[in-house]
Amino acid sequence: MDALTITRPDDWHLHLRDGAAMADVLPYTARQFARAIVMPNLKPPVTTTAAAQAYRERIVAALPAGLRFAPLMTLYLTDNTPAEEIRRAKASGIVHGVKLYPAGATTHSDSGVTSLARCSAALAEMEKVDLPLLIHGEVTHRHVDVFDRERFFIDEQLIPLRRDFPALRVVFEHITTREAADYVVAAAGRIGATITAHHLLYNRTRLFADAEGRTGMRPHYYCLPVLKRETHRQALLAAATGGNPRFFLGTDSAPHPKGEKESACGCAGCFTAASALEMYAMAFEEAGALDRFEGFASHHGPDFYGLPRNAAQVTLRREQWHLPAEIKFGSASLVPLAAGEPLPWKLVA
Ligand code: DOR
Ligand code: ZN
């Protein structure tokens, strides 16, 4: 197979940042995707419908002429999110989910939730008005090994949460473990999960070696939840390519200035917006499942969110190419994930 034409996909988990940096990365996503669920972890976070509306307007204003793209906004859940803010968000028609960051779990999560018990009013309202909860599923206890934090989250937080709010629509974001994939397959009720391209392509060894096995720290491969061992990657690949409509595409493309990643305390996040579909296609081809790519990339997400599937199509061609080594990012630059690696599929312009 040398060309792959599918319904135009959407990105169900994306970080765009703000200001000039946002304007620099936005065209990469808008070229690949019709819509994206835009994460609210700005500084300060997007905690109100009014702030989401204003952020949406800044994104739309930054879109280059000729690119059609719809940002789907989210709110950042805090211990103090009132039920009436949830009602406003739902009524706005522009907010499509509320993001749960356990406080301290990841980049810009310090205003996140310290205890789900403090969010009962907001969660009950979300269940009532049917506004999905998008979950960064990691416990934050310092005694829990960073590679186990997602697995612990399922038993400690997710199962009790879904017992308390059985009708709440939940997206378990950027799952990274066999346990998470198994949970999503087996769970009752309305649950979906996004899977990134990088968690389908790489295991944790890539944090410490390049594609040829040359050792050394690879900060651009560091994200949270962190890459896991190969058995987990295999489970994610099976989940993404198995045709189950609960699994759908979410890049978690998360740009950071080069200097903040290549640092003694490098921050978490991988920028994949410039090569997302190509990287997913690589993973599906590895699994011998290119025929299932369209469902994962273009059908399951809108079906879960209750939005129409896109009418347009995109085509990927078998053509080897390389990403640029760096991309302008506001006053700095960023290093895209997989820069330097040959990419065998190319999105036709
Ligand atoms: O690696 C990550 N980067 N994980 C997250 O959850 C947040 C993201 C970011 O905003 O940079
Ligand atoms: Zn994210």
Side-chain angles (χ1 to χ4, degrees):
M1 199 194 283
D2 285 328
L4 185 61
T5 296
I6 59 170
T7 301
R8 190 151 185 237
D10 306 297
D11 184 352
W12 299 97
H13 184 126
L14 174 69
H15 299 268
L16 279 177
R17 315 307 187 203
D18 210 346
M22 177 264 283
D24 285 335
V25 294
L26 175 64
Y28 293 99
T29 289
R31 194 180 150 259
Q32 296 227 334
F33 298 105
R35 299 169 286 196
I37 285 276
V38 179
M39 288 295 130
N41 62 334
L42 303 183
K43 283 199 138 173
V46 180
T47 54
T48 64
T49 308
Q53 182 81 56
Y55 184 29
R56 184 179 179 282
E57 283 164 16
R58 294 196 297 279
I59 296 167
V60 171
L63 264 177
L67 281 182
R68 285 169 59 101
F69 172 74
L72 309 176
M73 309 312 291
T74 58
L75 292 193
Y76 186 114
L77 187 67
T78 73
D79 289 354
N80 306 310
T81 304
E84 67 188 19
E85 194 59 62
I86 301 299
R87 281 193 291 280
R88 260 195 297 278
K90 179 71 181 187
S92 75
I94 61 134
V95 175
H96 294 267
V98 178
K99 180 69 187 272
L100 163 63
Y101 285 108
T106 185
T107 311
H108 303 168
S109 65
D110 21 304
S111 313
V113 170
T114 63
S115 156
L116 276 171
R118 298 214 162 102
C119 304
S120 305
L123 293 167
E125 195 61 27
M126 289 166 61
E127 183 180 41
K128 189 166 144 208
V129 301
D130 194 20
L131 190 59
L133 178 69
L134 319 181
I135 299 182
H136 182 111
E138 289 192 286
V139 298
T140 53
H141 323 301
R142 284 168 61 193
H143 65 268
V144 177
D145 190 289
V146 69
F147 292 99
D148 295 330
R149 287 181 182 182
E150 181 175 284
R151 180 162 72 82
F152 276 48
F153 184 88
I154 299 168
D155 293 324
E156 282 186 24
Q157 308 273 333
L158 187 54
I159 291 174
L161 168 77
R162 298 192 68 248
R163 195 163 51 223
D164 291 347
F165 302 97
L168 181 64
R169 237 180 326 157
V170 164
V171 183
F172 196 171
E173 299 285 355
H174 45 54
I175 61 167
T176 64
T177 56
R178 171 180 296 281
E179 289 84 356
D182 288 349
Y183 173 77
V184 170
V185 168
R190 304 196 296 166
I191 185 160
T194 55
I195 307 180
T196 77
H198 41 294
H199 289 97
L200 292 175
L201 287 174
Y202 309 122
N203 64 42
R204 67 190 191 182
T205 299
R206 269 317 275 281
L207 287 164
F208 309 109
D210 70 6
E212 278 77 50
R214 283 185 289 261
T215 56
M217 290 268 291
R218 308 289 164 180
H220 298 290
Y221 291 77
Y222 172 58
C223 64
L224 286 171
V226 71
L227 294 171
K228 304 298 192 296
R229 64 165 68 240
E230 178 65 9
T231 50
H232 295 291
R233 187 183 79 88
Q234 290 295 337
L236 297 175
L237 205 49
T241 63
N244 186 326
R246 288 184 166 182
F247 298 105
F248 42 89
L249 186 158
T251 64
D252 200 13
S253 181
H256 290 276
K258 177 179 174 182
E260 289 179 27
K261 293 208 48 89
E262 298 178 4
S263 145
C265 184
C267 52
C270 302
F271 179 77
T272 54
S275 54
L277 290 175
E278 292 93 336
M279 293 171 71
Y280 279 110
M282 267 173 89
F284 273 71
E285 181 157 55
E286 178 195 333
L290 281 174
D291 57 323
R292 299 249 172 89
F293 185 44
E294 183 176 37
F296 176 82
S298 313
H299 296 163
H300 302 167
D303 294 356
F304 184 86
Y305 274 89
L307 294 168
R309 296 177 181 180
N310 296 312
Q313 293 188 314
V314 297
T315 297
L316 295 161
R317 210 177 25 223
R318 191 180 297 285
E319 177 190 326
Q320 186 169 304
W321 66 293
H322 287 83
L323 285 156
E326 292 187 21
I327 285 174
K328 183 176 172 305
F329 187 54
S331 56
S333 67
L334 64 79
V335 176
L337 188 67
E341 295 180 32
L343 295 169
W345 289 94
K346 191 157 203 266
L347 182 64
V348 176

